[in-house]
């Protein structure tokens, strides 16, 4: 079996927490190149995930020039996603870029143009589509069990879980806070389940309220208010071309006990669904209301937990299969572009205190 040679650009938290351990479980690939601005990170990643012949780099251009790679995973700050992805595709590599697709929609569109020009495959890291509840609900939606989904809520709410490491609090590097970081997962999941990628306009507001708190309670220790240059919470209302509406909520710090992340609530003409406490379907049958709790784990056998593969492993396996079998990836770049466009529009609506129309934002 010929192994696909994979290179990683960015060997920090998301690479070590998701991409590298997932790739290590895919038998069709070999991790042969590790690149990071901090050489020790690249060396550490090689020790844990690469063969002895693997090479490390601090310059991604040098890696792309010297190595004959088939696939590149981009695991860097948002502001560099477009530059690195385009360079990798132009170097004849298929690319998985970590979410969000890009800091700005214009950059995301340039990534799609590069994919079309080079003929290379491009996908974005939205692993929540591969969760058991997500795939089951997607099948239900595809089969029309919920009818026309005309209202949805995309949830990404943390009470106090502000990431204080890396560049998460840096607006210049990331383009925003919880909206672009975790709100992007909730929105991608919701649009995918609705199969609706035609927004008409948005209104929204990003807040910088709790970010000013000194010595704040936080999952990863108190943040520095002076370095907290992004929003701590943001909320958007999205009107779609067909009249459907989506409410998007995202926070790293919010005085709320209603905490849920990368989840969605769907309301259709035939039924509804939520991920609040597992997956629940609700509706009406023979003039009687019902709630159906979906049991997604096999259970019932003492010696078998039924854990199955993790979403990130299923995501990478699906991605590699798409390359080998020359088919479309599950997460299409055109879909990820719409997510970025909507997030960008919410930020603009917050700045201007005005609705942002999709056609206007495209040209602006």
């Amino acid at each position: 079996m010929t192994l696909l040679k994979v290179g990683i650009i960015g060997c920090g938290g998301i690479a070590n927490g998701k991409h590298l351990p997932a790739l290590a479980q895919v038998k069709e690939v070999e991790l042969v190149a590790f690149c990071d601005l901090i050489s020790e990170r690249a060396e550490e990643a090689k020790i844990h995930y690469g063969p002895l012949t693997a090479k490390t780099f601090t310059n991604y251009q040098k890696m792309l020039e010297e190595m004959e790679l088939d696939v590149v995973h981009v695991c860097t700050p948002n502001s560099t996603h477009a530059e690195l992805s385009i360079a990798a595709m132009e170097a004849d590599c298929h690319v998985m870029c970590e979410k969000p697709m890009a800091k700005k929609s214009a950059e995301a569109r340039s990534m799609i143009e590069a994919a079309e020009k080079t003929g290379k495959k491009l996908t974005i890291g939205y692993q929540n589509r591969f969760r058991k509840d997500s795939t089951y609900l997607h099948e239900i939606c595809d089969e029309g069990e919920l009818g026309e989904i005309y209202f949805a809520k995309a949830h990404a709410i943390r009470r106090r879980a502000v990431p204080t490491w890396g560049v998460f609090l840096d607006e210049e590097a990331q383009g925003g806070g919880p909206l672009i970081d975790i709100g992007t997962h909730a929105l991608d999941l919701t649009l995918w389940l609705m199969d609706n990628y035609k927004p008409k306009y948005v209104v929204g507001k990003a807040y910088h309220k709790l970010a000013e708190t000194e010595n704040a309670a936080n999952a990863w220790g108190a943040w520095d208010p002076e370095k907290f240059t992004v929003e701590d919470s943001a909320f958007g209302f999205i009107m779609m071309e067909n009249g459907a509406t989506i409410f998007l909520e995202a926070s790293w710090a919010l005085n709320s006990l209603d905490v849920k992340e990368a989840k969605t609530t769907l309301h259709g003409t035939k039924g509804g669904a939520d991920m609040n406490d597992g997956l629940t379907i609700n509706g009406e049958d023979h003039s009687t209301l019902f709630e159906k709790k979906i049991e997604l784990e096999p259970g019932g056998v003492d010696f078998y937990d039924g854990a199955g593969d993790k979403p990130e492993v299923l995501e990478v396996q699906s991605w590699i299969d798409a390359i080998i079998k020359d088919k479309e990836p599950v997460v299409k770049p055109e879909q990820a572009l719409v997510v970025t466009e909507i997030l960008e529009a919410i930020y603009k609506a917050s700045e201007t205190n005005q609705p942002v129309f999709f056609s206007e934002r495209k040209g602006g």
Side-chain angles (χ1 to χ4, degrees), residues 273-291:
D274 69 70
M275 297 172 163
N276 296 335
D277 181 22
L279 179 60
T280 303
I281 311 298
N282 71 82
E284 180 179 351
D285 185 25
H286 292 87
S287 302
T288 303
L289 298 177
F290 71 84
E291 295 180 17

Side-chain angles (χ1 to χ4, degrees), residues 37-55:
L37 292 174
I38 301 174
S39 59
E40 290 80 7
R41 282 184 183 172
E43 290 291 346
E44 188 74 12
K46 173 189 171 179
I47 290 171
H48 284 92
Y49 297 103
L52 293 175
T53 54
K55 294 185 178 181

Side-chain angles (χ1 to χ4, degrees), residues 143-289:
E143 293 173 352
E145 187 171 324
L146 302 186
E148 176 195 354
I149 302 171
Y150 58 90
F151 177 51
K153 299 174 185 176
H155 311 286
I157 296 293
R158 297 177 183 172
R159 184 184 182 189
R160 291 291 191 284
V162 178
T164 53
W165 63 92
V167 295
F168 278 104
L169 304 183
D170 185 341
E171 198 281 333
E172 182 62 30
Q174 291 294 87
L179 182 63
I180 200 170
D181 177 43
I182 57 176
T184 189
H185 276 302
L187 180 58
D188 172 73
L189 192 60
T190 302
L191 295 176
W192 181 58
L193 292 168
M194 295 176 74
D195 191 25
N196 192 339
Y197 290 92
K198 295 183 178 181
K200 185 175 183 180
Y201 68 86
V202 307
V203 294
K205 191 65 180 178
Y207 291 99
H208 191 269
K209 300 290 187 179
L210 303 186
E212 300 171 4
T213 306
E214 297 279 355
N215 300 314
N218 187 48
W220 295 293
W223 57 80
D224 183 349
E226 292 186 4
K227 294 180 180 179
F228 206 140
T229 62
V230 297
E231 82 278 2
D232 51 41
S233 61
F235 309 91
F237 185 80
I238 306 147
M239 174 67 75
M240 309 302 282
E241 286 185 2
N242 69 345
T245 52
I246 300 170
F247 172 64
L248 171 60
E249 55 179 4
S251 74
W252 283 338
L254 187 71
N255 288 323
S256 173
L257 297 179
D258 189 18
V259 175
K260 43 194 162 186
E261 188 172 333
K263 294 185 178 181
T264 190
T265 302
L266 305 177
H267 306 273
T269 54
K270 294 181 180 180
D274 69 70
M275 297 172 163
N276 296 335
D277 181 22
L279 179 60
T280 303
I281 311 298
N282 71 82
E284 180 179 351
D285 185 25
H286 292 87
S287 302
T288 303
L289 298 177

Side-chain angles (χ1 to χ4, degrees), residues 287-313:
S287 302
T288 303
L289 298 177
F290 71 84
E291 295 180 17
K292 182 168 62 175
K293 187 82 170 181
I294 307 301
E295 180 57 62
L296 295 168
E297 299 296 339
V301 181
D302 291 339
F303 55 85
Y304 179 61
D305 293 329
D309 287 322
K310 294 181 179 179
E312 57 268 30
V313 177

Side-chain angles (χ1 to χ4, degrees), residues 313-362:
V313 177
L314 296 173
E315 175 189 45
V316 170
Q317 185 66 67
S318 172
W319 161 236
I320 297 303
D321 286 346
I323 295 171
I324 293 172
K325 298 175 183 177
D326 192 21
K327 59 182 183 180
E328 280 192 308
V330 170
V331 181
K332 300 175 181 61
E334 294 82 7
Q335 296 171 338
L337 167 62
V338 175
V339 175
T340 293
E341 288 175 332
I342 291 174
L343 298 178
E344 184 179 56
I346 293 173
Y347 282 125
K348 184 176 180 181
S350 180
E351 291 172 6
T352 62
N353 290 316
Q354 296 290 331
V356 174
F357 286 84
F358 197 70
S359 58
E360 290 179 2
R361 192 198 37 69
K362 266 188 173 179

